[in-house]
Amino acid sequence: MKIILLGPPGAGKGTQAQLLVEKFGIPQISTGDLLRKALGEGTELGLEAKKYMDSGRLVPDELIISLIKERITLPDCASGYILDGFPRTMEQARAMEATDNVDMVLNIVVDTEILMGRLMGRRTCRDCNAVYNITGKPSKVEGKCDICGGELFQRDDDTEATVTKRLDTYRTLTEPLIGFYEERGLLKNIPTGNSIEETFQNVLAAIE
Ligand code: AMP
């Protein structure tokens, strides 16, 4: 099962991807997580990516495309994967199409007005990348991950100015991919429910 998760920042792609991982046992590949990991390790890629990430811009296509091409050839991707946050530009979508055939593209449809609040309230685990929200989905103990006890932090790019820029970037560069995948008959729109679980039921209904 090879799935692309599409949707604006804050749509809940990461949360839904984690639920899919639990249910189907295929890996979540988040380009954002891969870049943050590279940055944490102080690699050349990480340092280069930081310049773009901190200002809400996209990292250049060639860097991201080679990162993904390498990642999907690892043995854990043999029975499928969930791409979370890739592709984000037409060039990335074309490169992906030339690399592998995905089975479906799930587009999480969400009211843009609620995205801002969600992104600003987001907290991420430093150790396992689990995602929480101070209003929608708080951790049981403030500042600590329910799963691994790791420290929760606010991403540098979840500040107001950067969030505004990221939403703009989404509209201009990523939204056109909806039409691209629609033309190929791969697109399934997923309405957001009133809860994470409800949205997940919509995801499962689209897969089956
Ligand atoms: P995310 O965690 O998916 O919100 O990604 C955080 C940041 O990483 C984005 O704002 C971009 O700067 C960068 N990034 C992640 N995925 C991509 C991608 N597919 N193409 C370009 N930049 C990306």
Side-chain angles (χ1 to χ4, degrees), residues 40-58:
E41 290 165 353
T43 65
E44 207 175 304
L45 167 70
L47 295 172
E48 177 66 16
K50 183 176 164 55
K51 293 191 253 171
Y52 299 90
M53 294 170 82
D54 278 356
S55 55
R57 288 175 298 150
L58 293 183

Side-chain angles (χ1 to χ4, degrees), residues 31-32 35-36 53 57-59 64 85 88 92 155 166:
T31 37
L35 294 171
R36 281 184 288 277
M53 294 170 82
R57 288 175 298 150
L58 293 183
V59 171
I64 292 286
R88 256 164 148 119
Q92 292 177 17
R155 284 169 37 174
R166 285 163 64 207

Side-chain angles (χ1 to χ4, degrees), residues 136-173:
K137 185 195 168 197
S139 57
K140 292 195 183 91
V141 178
E142 199 186 320
K144 287 238 175 298
C145 177
D146 294 349
I147 301 165
C148 74
E151 182 203 352
L152 302 186
F153 75 109
Q154 180 173 32
R155 284 169 37 174
D156 287 345
D157 60 350
D158 280 343
T159 58
E160 193 167 352
T162 315
V163 164
T164 307
K165 174 72 184 151
R166 285 163 64 207
L167 290 174
D168 267 7
T169 305
Y170 167 78
R171 282 189 204 103
T172 22
L173 297 176

Side-chain angles (χ1 to χ4, degrees), residues 56-206:
R57 288 175 298 150
L58 293 183
V59 171
D61 286 329
E62 60 276 15
L63 289 182
I64 292 286
I65 291 166
S66 57
L67 186 71
I68 279 286
K69 279 191 176 168
E70 202 179 305
R71 179 64 188 86
I72 62 175
T73 56
L74 295 184
D76 65 333
C77 292
S79 42
Y81 48 73
I82 303 150
L83 295 183
D84 159 16
F86 177 91
R88 256 164 148 119
T89 64
M90 279 297 195
E91 183 155 351
Q92 292 177 17
R94 289 199 194 94
M96 187 62 208
E97 191 172 47
T99 305
D100 205 357
N101 292 320
V102 298
D103 300 300
M104 67 188 89
V105 177
L106 305 178
N107 178 38
I108 306 186
V109 181
V110 56
D111 198 346
T112 41
E113 269 124 63
I114 65 173
L115 293 174
M116 199 79 185
R118 271 207 202 163
L119 288 164
M120 312 270 302
R122 174 155 72 180
R123 298 292 180 270
T124 307
C125 175
R126 220 176 263 294
D127 297 331
C128 76
N129 296 316
V131 179
Y132 299 86
N133 194 285
I134 51 172
T135 48
K137 185 195 168 197
S139 57
K140 292 195 183 91
V141 178
E142 199 186 320
K144 287 238 175 298
C145 177
D146 294 349
I147 301 165
C148 74
E151 182 203 352
L152 302 186
F153 75 109
Q154 180 173 32
R155 284 169 37 174
D156 287 345
D157 60 350
D158 280 343
T159 58
E160 193 167 352
T162 315
V163 164
T164 307
K165 174 72 184 151
R166 285 163 64 207
L167 290 174
D168 267 7
T169 305
Y170 167 78
R171 282 189 204 103
T172 22
L173 297 176
T174 310
E175 215 165 47
L177 301 193
I178 295 174
F180 177 89
Y181 287 118
E182 207 160 31
E183 278 168 20
R184 285 155 178 75
L186 292 172
L187 191 83
K188 295 182 192 240
N189 287 314
I190 311 293
T192 323
N194 290 320
S195 64
I196 290 167
E197 290 70 29
E198 215 178 292
T199 305
F200 190 54
Q201 290 311 312
N202 297 341
V203 166
L204 292 179

